[in-house]
Amino acid sequence: MIEQRHLDFITNIVGSENIKSDKAHLIAYSYDATKTRFEPDAVVFPRHEEDISQILKYCNEHEVVIVPRGAGSGFTGGALPANGGISLSLERHMDKLLEIDMENMVGVVQPGLINMDFQKAVEAVGLFYPPDPASENYSTLGGNVSENAGGMRAAKYGITKDYVMALRAVLPNGDIIKAGKKTIKDVAGYNTAGILIASEGTLAVITEITLKLIPKPRHKKTYMGIFPSVENAMNAVFKSLAKGANPVAMEFLDSLVIKALRDKLNVDLPEEAGAILIGDVDGNLEDEVIFQLDTLKESFLENGSTDFIIAENEEEGNKLWFARRNASPAVTIYGTKKLNEDISVPRSKLPEALAGIYEIGEKYGFQVPCFGHAGDGNIHVNVMVKDKDNEKEMEDGHKAIEDIFQFVVDMGGTLSGEHGIGTSKAPFMSIAFNDEEMNLFRSIKKAFDPKNILNPNKMGL
Amino acid sequence: MIEQRHLDFITNIVGSENIKSDKAHLIAYSYDATKTRFEPDAVVFPRHEEDISQILKYCNEHEVVIVPRGAGSGFTGGALPANGGISLSLERHMDKLLEIDMENMVGVVQPGLINMDFQKAVEAVGLFYPPDPASENYSTLGGNVSENAGGMRAAKYGITKDYVMALRAVLPNGDIIKAGKKTIKDVAGYNTAGILIASEGTLAVITEITLKLIPKPRHKKTYMGIFPSVENAMNAVFKSLAKGANPVAMEFLDSLVIKALRDKLNVDLPEEAGAILIGDVDGNLEDEVIFQLDTLKESFLENGSTDFIIAENEEEGNKLWFARRNASPAVTIYGTKKLNEDISVPRSKLPEALAGIYEIGEKYGFQVPCFGHAGDGNIHVNVMVKDKDNEKEMEDGHKAIEDIFQFVVDMGGTLSGEHGIGTSKAPFMSIAFNDEEMNLFRSIKKAFDPKNILNPNKMGL
C-alpha cells in the first residue's frame, strides 16, 4: 500500500478533485479488456504535462509505482497496476485535439483523445487518419501509440507507428522531452519516438502526439469473396497482393465463424462457404477503384473463389461488413470462454499457419474459429473453451495457446500483431526472444527508468 | 595506437587477408564525403556475422574502439574513426542480396549491398524499393539504415525507416540480436529496430536487413513548373500537396542554381525563372498519372507558375531531370568552398525558411544557392565561400550556418533531414536538443554500449 504522505504530496499537485482512492474508483480502474483485475492504490487525473512531470519526479525519488492508463481497453493488461501503485489516467483532462494543421497535413493531440473523435474531426476537413483498431470508438490515441495499435486498414495504410511524427513525453525522473518533429525527414539524434511507440507505458508517459494525416480518398467500394476452403482464401490473400492489388482491408472469416454468424445472428451468408474475404478498396479516381476490384476478382477466381460480390453503395457495403464486425460476439456460441490471441505471420505463410492452428485445436479437442486481418497477416485465433469452470479444459486451452505461439514463431511469426504483451502474453516472451534480446530490452528499460517505477514487470521484463 | 596483440587476435578471427594496417589502406579508409580525414589504426573486413560477434566481444573486453563503415559516402563523418580505432568495413564480404521474397514483397540483404544494385534486382522482378539517396549508386543499404537515408522519392514514398521491417545486429558485447520480423504487424517487445535506424553505427553493427518492397508502379511521367519567385514555388509546394497532389518527387531549384546551370552547363532553362519545381508522378493507371499532373498544374498556376512542362517520354523526362541532377556540381561557380547543410522544415514553412536563409546569407555577404527535396520540406542549403583560404570568410561561413540552424530549429525544423549528425553537425546539437534530451540519448547509448567502444563521441554524445 502506498503511504499517505505520498498521496498528500500528489494531492497538493493536482488538487483533491483529481485524486481518488475510494473503493468505487479503485474498482473502476482495476480492469481492462482482459477481464483480469488489479486494483490501484489510487487513481490520479493529471491536468497537464507539468502535473505529470512533478508527479513522476516525486514518485521516482520515493520509488512509488505509476501505471499510465488511457481508456483501459487493452487486451493484454498493459494499463493494469499488476503490482499496485498509482493509476495515472490521461482520459479526464488530457483529451484535447490541439491542432489540425491542414497546410502540413498533421494533427496534434493529447494522449486521452479517443481515436474515433480524432478520425471524425480530421475527416470533417477532408483529411484522413487511417489507423482503426476495433476499439476505435473508445480507445485513446495515447493507448494506440503505446501499444502500436493496428486495425482493418493496415493492409493498405499501415499501423499507428507509420503515422507518429513526434511525441512529447515525461521520463520517470520528471524530465520533459520532445522526440521528432512536424517534418517528414528528421535524422538528428536517436529516434526516441520510435522506441516509445509500442513500449506499453513502461518507458515514459506520453503527453502529446503529432500524427501524420493524408488526404481522404474520394472513392471507396466494399467487396466480398466467397471461397470453398480456408486454404483457397489464404492463397488468394497473398497472391492477389503480390499481383499488385492494394485493398484498404482484406478481412477473413473461416467456416466456424460463418456458421456462428448464420446460426446466432441470422446473417445471410452461403452455407457452403469454407471461408470469406471482405474489405474495401479506395482511390482518388473511380477507375482506380474499378482497377482494384478487377485485380482482386481475377486473382480470387484464380484461387478458387466461387463468388465475388461488389456492394453497389454504402448501405450494401455495411451489410457485407456486418458479418465481419460481428465475428467476435458470434463465436461465443462455441464456448463459455474464448482464449483469443492475435498472431501475425508473413502473408505467404497464412495457409500453413491456419492449417497448423486448426490441427493444434483438434489435438486438444477445441474448436478454433479464426478471423481477422488476413491482408496484413494478422489473425485473431479463438480457442473456445466449452466450460470455463472445468480446470482440465482451461489448462488444455492454455496449452493449445502455447503450442500455437511456438508454431507461429517457428514459421517467422510473432506473439502479437496488435495487442501487445502486457501481463497476459508475458509468459510467452521466451518463445519469441532469446536471452540476449531480453537482456537488451532490460537495458533499454533501465536507461529510461532506472528505478523501475513506471509500469513495472510488464512485457516479461 | 592499438596494441599489436589486439590486431593479432583479430587476425586470428578473420585471417590476415582481411585485416590491413598498411598506410595505403589507412588513408583509403580515412575519409568520407565531408573530406575531413581520420585514419583508423587498422581496417578489418569481417566475413560474416560470427566474425563481427567475436571481434566486438573481444574489443569490448579490451576497450578497443570499432567504427562500422559502409561505402564511406556520408556527409557528416559518421563512418570516420575520429578517435582512431578499427574501421570495420562491411563492403567487401557482407554485400550479398540474400533473398527476394516475391510472395511477401520483402527483400533480405547484407549491410554492404549497394542501394542501386538492390533497386535493380527488385525492379527486374516487378517490385520497387523507393528510398533513393543521391548516393544510391555507391552508398550501402547498411549505411542508408544507419543514417535513415532519404532521397527524391520521399515526398510520396517516405524514407528508409518506412521500409525496414527487421534487422539482425551485433551488440558491442558480441550478442547477436534480431529486431522485427517479416510480418507487417509486430508489437512484441521493444521496437529495437526503430532505435537502431539513424543511430549512425553507435549502438550496434547491423548484419542483416529485411526491407519492405512494393509493386512497381506501371506508369510514370516527369513534370517541370517554372515560377517567377522562390516564394511562389514554395507556396505551390505545400498548397498543391494539401490539395491532394501526391507526386513521387517535387524537387526545387532557386534562381542562383538556375543561373549556374545555364552559365556552367548550358542547360536550357528560362533566364527569367525565379524558381523551378521538377518531379515525377506515377500510378498503376494512366488516368491516375493524368489526374496527378492536372492537380499539380492547376495548383501551380494558382500559385503564379508561368509554365508547366510535361515530358512526353523518358528521354524528355531525363532532359528535365538533368537540371536537378547537376545542381550540386553547378553551384561551385559561386565559390571555392561549399558549406552545405540539409535542413528540413514543415512544408508550410518553406516560404519563410527560404526567405530567412537568403537574408542570413546577405547579412554575411554570401550567395546561398538552394535546391532539394521541397516536396518533403528538406532543402540543401549551400553557403558559398569565395575563397576558402580566407580565414575570416570561412569563419563567417560557419557563423552563417549556425544562424541558419538556429533559425530553422526555431520554426520547428531540424538540423538534418538526411545526412545525420556524425562529427560535423555535433557542435549544433545543443541548438536542437535540451539537456534532458541529450541526457536521454546518453542513457540510450550506454544501454547498448556501456564501455563506449562503438563509434564513440559522435552525435555530440
Side-chain angles (χ1 to χ4, degrees):
Chain A
M1 276 298 297
I2 192 168
E3 290 175 47
Q4 187 59 40
R5 65 183 177 118
H6 299 324
L7 295 180
D8 292 345
F9 191 93
I10 293 168
T11 306
N12 275 334
I13 297 171
V14 296
S16 57
E17 68 279 19
N18 290 315
I19 180 165
K20 300 289 172 193
S21 53
D22 57 291
K23 195 68 185 172
H25 270 91
L26 300 189
I27 291 174
Y29 285 82
S30 69
Y31 65 90
D32 71 354
T34 57
K35 292 173 191 159
T36 46
R37 276 177 47 181
F38 297 97
E39 283 184 24
D41 296 319
V43 188
V44 174
F45 304 93
R47 296 162 302 169
H48 39 56
E49 184 178 80
E50 190 50 38
D51 273 357
I52 297 175
S53 173
Q54 285 187 46
I55 293 167
L56 288 188
K57 188 171 189 299
Y58 179 87
C59 288
N60 193 50
E61 277 162 14
H62 296 84
E63 304 198 20
V64 175
V65 164
I66 295 275
V67 180
R69 181 182 174 95
S73 55
F75 271 110
T76 52
L80 298 187
N83 307 88
I86 289 169
S87 179
L88 192 77
S89 169
L90 284 314
E91 67 183 339
R92 186 180 289 183
H93 302 297
M94 296 188 62
D95 61 346
K96 312 288 181 303
L97 171 54
L98 300 176
E99 184 190 7
I100 300 178
D101 174 347
M102 305 208 23
E103 292 182 333
N104 293 298
M105 293 188 280
V106 165
V108 183
V109 305
Q110 290 187 317
L113 182 64
I114 289 171
N115 176 305
M116 183 53 87
D117 292 344
F118 183 59
Q119 284 190 48
K120 282 183 180 159
V122 303
E123 289 188 30
V125 295
L127 293 170
F128 187 44
Y129 177 68
D132 61 339
S135 59
E136 60 190 349
N137 286 312
Y138 40 90
S139 67
T140 64
L141 290 164
N144 291 176
V145 172
S146 297
E147 301 290 332
N148 193 10
M152 308 249 192
R153 299 194 286 235
K156 177 169 182 175
Y157 289 111
I159 56 183
T160 304
K161 84 171 156 103
D162 299 314
Y163 293 86
V164 176
M165 301 182 80
L167 297 173
R168 286 181 70 96
V170 181
L171 301 181
N173 66 3
D175 282 354
I176 296 170
I177 60 152
K178 297 184 303 288
K181 297 200 180 295
K182 245 194 207 183
T183 57
I184 290 167
K185 293 176 177 169
D186 177 18
V187 295
Y190 290 132
N191 178 18
T192 322
I195 197 91
L196 290 182
I197 296 164
S199 67
E200 305 196 12
T202 64
L203 300 180
V205 178
I206 293 167
T207 54
E208 189 182 292
I209 308 165
T210 300
L211 291 164
K212 183 173 91 169
L213 302 171
I214 60 174
K216 188 165 161 58
R218 298 170 197 210
H219 300 279
K220 189 174 87 171
K221 283 232 163 156
T222 301
Y223 68 88
M224 182 183 271
I226 314 287
F227 293 84
S229 75
V230 168
E231 192 184 356
N232 286 114
M234 294 295 100
N235 276 306
V237 169
F238 78 86
K239 288 184 179 171
S240 63
L241 296 170
K243 258 191 136 168
N246 194 13
V248 178
M250 191 181 268
E251 296 289 311
F252 158 70
L253 307 173
D254 75 2
S255 62
L256 282 172
V257 177
I258 295 165
K259 185 176 185 316
L261 284 162
R262 287 171 46 87
D263 290 357
K264 186 171 173 184
L265 300 170
N266 289 313
V267 182
D268 180 22
L269 294 171
E271 200 180 339
E272 69 284 4
I276 284 174
L277 294 177
I278 174 175
D280 293 330
V281 291
D282 70 2
N284 279 319
L285 298 175
E286 273 196 278
D287 281 356
E288 220 178 309
V289 169
I290 293 165
F291 168 79
Q292 285 296 333
L293 290 170
D294 288 348
T295 308
L296 284 178
K297 186 176 178 175
E298 195 187 313
S299 196
F300 281 14
L301 283 173
E302 279 171 19
N303 289 287
S305 91
T306 52
D307 201 2
F308 187 82
I309 302 157
I310 298 170
E312 284 308 311
N313 51 46
E314 208 180 322
E315 197 192 329
E316 277 186 43
N318 284 336
K319 269 192 201 163
L320 297 183
W321 271 110
F322 182 86
R324 170 61 185 91
R325 293 218 173 89
N326 288 282
S328 186
V331 297
T332 54
I333 64 165
Y334 295 115
T336 58
K337 176 78 185 171
K338 181 170 77 172
L339 303 175
N340 66 320
E341 300 299 341
D342 76 315
I343 60 102
S344 195
V345 296
R347 287 183 300 226
S348 70
K349 302 279 187 179
L350 280 167
E352 187 187 340
L354 269 297
I357 287 166
Y358 295 133
E359 209 173 284
I360 292 168
E362 267 171 40
K363 177 179 144 194
Y364 289 97
F366 292 111
Q367 288 185 299
V368 187
C370 294
F371 58 87
H373 319 307
D376 56 52
N378 179 208
I379 300 289
H380 297 304
V381 172
N382 304 280
V383 173
M384 300 306 301
V385 176
K386 285 202 195 68
D387 177 8
K388 66 179 171 183
D389 297 324
N390 179 331
E391 263 181 49
K392 168 79 171 66
E393 208 197 350
M394 280 299 285
E395 197 181 299
D396 280 352
H398 290 294
K399 275 189 203 157
I401 291 289
E402 188 167 348
D403 283 8
I404 289 169
F405 281 144
Q406 186 68 59
F407 170 69
V408 161
V409 167
D410 286 348
M411 68 168 63
T414 165
L415 298 180
S416 178
E418 306 184 319
H419 296 169
I421 302 298
T423 51
S424 61
K425 294 199 187 189
F428 308 112
M429 284 293 273
S430 63
I431 293 177
F433 299 100
N434 62 25
D435 290 347
E436 290 82 354
E437 289 154 358
M438 290 303 295
N439 284 339
L440 179 60
F441 292 163
R442 287 187 196 103
S443 298
I444 292 170
K445 168 71 170 164
K446 209 168 176 183
F448 282 80
D449 184 17
K451 292 188 171 182
N452 200 25
I453 63 148
L454 199 61
N455 209 4
N457 307 321
K458 297 291 172 73
M459 299 168 70
L461 300 180
Chain B
M1 275 300 295
I2 191 170
E3 291 174 46
Q4 187 58 42
R5 65 183 177 118
H6 299 325
L7 295 180
D8 292 344
F9 192 93
I10 294 169
T11 305
N12 275 336
I13 298 171
V14 295
S16 58
E17 67 280 22
N18 289 316
I19 178 164
K20 300 288 172 194
S21 53
D22 57 292
K23 195 66 183 171
H25 271 93
L26 300 189
I27 292 176
Y29 285 81
S30 68
Y31 65 89
D32 71 354
T34 57
K35 293 174 190 158
T36 45
R37 276 178 45 183
F38 297 96
E39 281 184 23
D41 295 321
V43 187
V44 173
F45 304 93
R47 296 161 301 170
H48 39 55
E49 185 179 76
E50 190 49 39
D51 273 357
I52 297 175
S53 173
Q54 284 186 46
I55 293 167
L56 287 187
K57 188 170 189 297
Y58 179 85
C59 289
N60 192 50
E61 276 163 15
H62 296 84
E63 306 199 20
V64 175
V65 164
I66 295 275
V67 180
R69 181 182 175 94
S73 56
F75 270 109
T76 54
L80 298 188
N83 306 89
I86 289 169
S87 180
L88 191 77
S89 170
L90 284 315
E91 67 184 341
R92 186 179 290 181
H93 302 297
M94 296 187 64
D95 61 347
K96 311 286 181 301
L97 170 54
L98 299 175
E99 185 189 6
I100 299 178
D101 173 348
M102 309 222 0
E103 291 182 334
N104 292 297
M105 291 188 281
V106 165
V108 184
V109 305
Q110 289 186 320
L113 182 62
I114 289 171
N115 177 305
M116 183 53 86
D117 291 345
F118 183 57
Q119 284 191 48
K120 282 183 181 158
V122 302
E123 289 188 32
V125 295
L127 293 169
F128 187 42
Y129 177 67
D132 60 340
S135 59
E136 60 191 348
N137 286 311
Y138 40 89
S139 67
T140 64
L141 290 163
N144 292 177
V145 172
S146 297
E147 301 290 331
N148 193 9
M152 308 253 192
R153 298 193 287 234
K156 176 167 182 176
Y157 290 111
I159 56 184
T160 305
K161 83 171 155 101
D162 300 315
Y163 294 86
V164 175
M165 302 182 80
L167 297 173
R168 286 181 70 98
V170 182
L171 301 181
N173 66 4
D175 281 356
I176 295 169
I177 60 153
K178 295 184 304 286
K181 297 200 180 292
K182 244 194 211 182
T183 59
I184 290 166
K185 293 175 176 168
D186 176 19
V187 296
Y190 290 132
N191 178 18
T192 322
I195 197 90
L196 291 182
I197 295 165
S199 68
E200 307 195 10
T202 65
L203 300 181
V205 178
I206 294 167
T207 53
E208 190 181 291
I209 309 165
T210 301
L211 292 163
K212 184 173 92 168
L213 302 171
I214 60 175
K216 188 164 162 59
R218 298 172 198 209
H219 300 279
K220 188 173 87 168
K221 281 233 163 156
T222 302
Y223 68 89
M224 181 183 274
I226 314 286
F227 293 84
S229 76
V230 168
E231 193 184 354
N232 286 114
M234 294 296 98
N235 276 305
V237 169
F238 78 86
K239 288 183 179 172
S240 63
L241 296 170
K243 259 191 132 167
N246 195 12
V248 178
M250 191 181 271
E251 295 289 312
F252 159 68
L253 306 174
D254 75 2
S255 61
L256 282 172
V257 177
I258 295 165
K259 187 177 182 317
L261 285 162
R262 286 170 47 86
D263 290 357
K264 186 171 174 185
L265 301 171
N266 288 315
V267 182
D268 180 23
L269 295 170
E271 201 179 338
E272 68 285 3
I276 284 174
L277 294 177
I278 175 174
D280 292 331
V281 292
D282 70 3
N284 278 320
L285 299 175
E286 274 198 278
D287 280 356
E288 221 179 309
V289 170
I290 293 164
F291 169 78
Q292 285 296 333
L293 290 170
D294 289 347
T295 308
L296 284 178
K297 185 176 179 178
E298 196 187 312
S299 197
F300 281 16
L301 282 173
E302 279 170 18
N303 288 288
S305 90
T306 53
D307 200 4
F308 187 82
I309 302 157
I310 299 170
E312 285 308 311
N313 51 45
E314 207 181 323
E315 196 193 331
E316 277 186 44
N318 285 336
K319 272 192 196 164
L320 297 182
W321 271 110
F322 183 84
R324 169 63 185 91
R325 294 219 173 90
N326 288 281
S328 186
V331 296
T332 54
I333 65 163
Y334 295 114
T336 56
K337 176 76 184 173
K338 183 169 75 174
L339 303 175
N340 67 320
E341 299 299 341
D342 77 314
I343 60 103
S344 195
V345 296
R347 288 184 297 228
S348 71
K349 302 278 188 182
L350 281 168
E352 187 188 339
L354 269 298
I357 286 165
Y358 294 134
E359 210 174 282
I360 291 167
E362 267 170 40
K363 179 179 144 192
Y364 290 96
F366 291 111
Q367 288 186 300
V368 186
C370 295
F371 58 88
H373 319 306
D376 55 53
N378 180 208
I379 300 290
H380 297 303
V381 172
N382 304 280
V383 173
M384 300 306 301
V385 175
K386 284 200 196 70
D387 177 9
K388 67 180 171 183
D389 296 324
N390 179 333
E391 263 182 46
K392 168 75 173 67
E393 209 199 349
M394 280 299 287
E395 196 180 300
D396 281 352
H398 289 295
K399 275 189 203 157
I401 291 288
E402 188 165 348
D403 283 7
I404 288 168
F405 281 144
Q406 186 67 58
F407 169 71
V408 160
V409 168
D410 285 347
M411 69 168 63
T414 166
L415 299 180
S416 178
E418 305 183 320
H419 296 169
I421 301 298
T423 52
S424 61
K425 294 198 188 191
F428 307 111
M429 284 293 273
S430 62
I431 293 178
F433 299 101
N434 62 26
D435 289 347
E436 290 83 355
E437 289 153 359
M438 289 303 296
N439 284 338
L440 179 60
F441 291 163
R442 288 188 194 101
S443 298
I444 293 170
K445 168 72 171 162
K446 208 168 176 179
F448 282 78
D449 184 18
K451 293 191 172 179
N452 201 26
I453 63 146
L454 199 60
N455 209 3
N457 308 320
K458 296 291 173 73
M459 299 169 69
L461 301 178

